[in-house]
Amino acid sequence: EEREAQIINVLRQPPPSDAPDGWTTEALVANIYAKYPRELWGPAAHSTELHLNKLAGEGRVDKTGDAWVLLGN
């Protein structure tokens, strides 16, 4: 799916300097939804978390503390 591909592409990049904990859900949302109004970021975070949990279930990502990491890529 397109959103999952976006998440994976972002996880391949180094996290931004304002995300010292790595690619948290919030940092991912800020990157992916940068062009959207911040009011949409809350619902976007929920949707992103669902995608991340699906990817984790498939063994494609993992969560370390608050940060998501890409596995095997």
Side-chain angles (χ1 to χ4, degrees), residues 21-61:
D21 295 329
W23 283 117
T24 61
T25 300
E26 294 76 18
L28 286 164
V29 168
N31 181 287
I32 294 169
Y33 292 88
K35 295 180 182 178
Y36 294 86
R38 283 185 173 261
E39 302 83 60
L40 299 178
W41 288 13
H46 177 71
S47 171
T48 300
E49 191 87 14
L50 291 174
H51 287 293
L52 286 162
N53 287 326
K54 177 183 177 284
L55 291 168
E58 295 171 350
R60 297 169 71 189
V61 301

Side-chain angles (χ1 to χ4, degrees), residues 4-15 22-24 28 31-32 52 55 60-62 67-71 73:
E4 289 178 13
Q6 284 180 307
I7 291 168
I8 288 169
N9 285 334
V10 171
L11 288 173
R12 286 188 174 125
Q13 304 169 26
W23 283 117
T24 61
L28 286 164
N31 181 287
I32 294 169
L52 286 162
L55 291 168
R60 297 169 71 189
V61 301
D62 194 20
W68 292 94
V69 293
L70 192 61
L71 299 176
N73 282 329

